[in-house]
């Protein structure tokens, strides 16, 4: 199953060092049967994009914690896509949520998706209000939308060391 794991730049650096990805609490996102049922239309590619977008929003939550501890942390959403077999569906949490059984080795990673520098200020602002947006605050939702208007760039896993060196 293709999964999308929320991350941050610091998390990507840990991934390179450990040569494996450990999703926080095992949480990832995927095109699940429940997600497919939630949409009246959409092909697999469109629904995979929805799952990746959910992971990008979860990345904002991780980033909010990092920025609170270190305001100089890189304000970029990151999502790692991987192909794994050991997942458990978690429709009690959300339509696209899955739990991963353990660390994901580099060989199972498919790609890295990362904000470009131009998204930095919008992402920083969205990280500060993501929880309020989830609770329905219209101003926070607008701020979140500003960040989500920025598409994540796609990188091959082999490009990750070079991309991180440039940050």
């Amino acid at each position: 199953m293709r999964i999308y794991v929320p991350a941050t730049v610091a998390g990507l650096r840990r991934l390179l060092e450990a040569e494996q990805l450990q999703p926080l609490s095992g949480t990832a996102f995927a095109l699940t049967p429940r997600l497919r049922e939630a949409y009246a239309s959409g092909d697999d590619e469109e629904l995979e994009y929805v799952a990746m977008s959910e992971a990008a929003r979860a990345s904002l939550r991780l980033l909010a914690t990092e920025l609170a501890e270190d305001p100089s942390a890189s304000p970029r959403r990151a999502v790692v896509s991987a192909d794994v077999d050991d997942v458990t569906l978690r429709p009690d949490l959300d339509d696209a949520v899955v739990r991963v059984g353990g660390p994901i080795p580099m060989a199972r990673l498919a790609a890295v998706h990362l904000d470009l520098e131009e998204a930095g200020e919008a992402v920083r602002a969205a990280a500060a209000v993501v929880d309020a947006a989830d609770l329905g605050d219209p101003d926070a939702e607008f701020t979140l939308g500003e960040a989500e208007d920025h598409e994540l760039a796609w990188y091959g896993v082999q490009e990750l060391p070079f991309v991180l060196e440039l940050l």
Side-chain angles (χ1 to χ4, degrees):
M1 171 180 273
R2 172 67 49 100
I3 63 168
Y4 301 91
V5 182
T8 62
V9 170
L12 294 176
R13 293 185 194 286
R14 287 189 298 274
L15 158 67
L16 281 181
E17 187 177 301
E19 296 187 356
Q20 65 181 11
L21 177 63
Q22 178 61 60
L24 183 65
S25 301
T27 301
F29 298 81
L31 171 50
T32 65
R34 183 88 177 255
L35 180 63
R36 188 179 306 282
E37 289 173 11
Y39 284 82
S41 66
D43 61 19
D44 283 358
E45 186 175 330
E46 291 169 319
L47 296 175
E48 291 273 352
Y49 183 79
V50 170
M52 187 177 82
S53 297
E54 291 294 319
R57 185 172 284 198
S59 173
L60 281 174
R61 290 182 186 86
L62 298 175
L63 191 54
T65 301
E66 283 186 11
L67 288 169
E69 294 171 5
D70 178 9
S72 67
S74 181
R76 297 181 190 214
R77 298 169 296 162
V79 175
V80 179
S81 57
D83 296 309
V84 299
D85 299 321
D86 185 18
V87 299
T88 303
L89 301 179
R90 291 301 309 265
D92 56 312
L93 297 177
D94 194 81
D95 292 341
V97 175
V98 295
R99 291 280 189 229
V100 180
I104 304 166
M106 291 282 283
R108 304 295 289 182
L109 304 183
V112 175
H113 311 271
L114 184 65
D115 273 315
L116 297 175
E117 184 177 0
E118 65 194 31
E121 288 310 309
V123 169
R124 184 181 299 278
V129 299
V130 65
D131 290 334
D134 285 344
L135 295 173
D137 180 300
D139 292 332
E141 288 175 4
F142 179 80
T143 301
L144 188 63
E146 292 284 316
E148 291 177 341
D149 284 344
H150 292 272
E151 294 289 330
L152 299 176
W154 180 96
Y155 298 97
V157 175
Q158 71 278 10
E159 295 175 286
L160 187 57
F162 307 108
V163 169
L164 291 177
E165 187 176 309
L166 296 173
L167 298 181

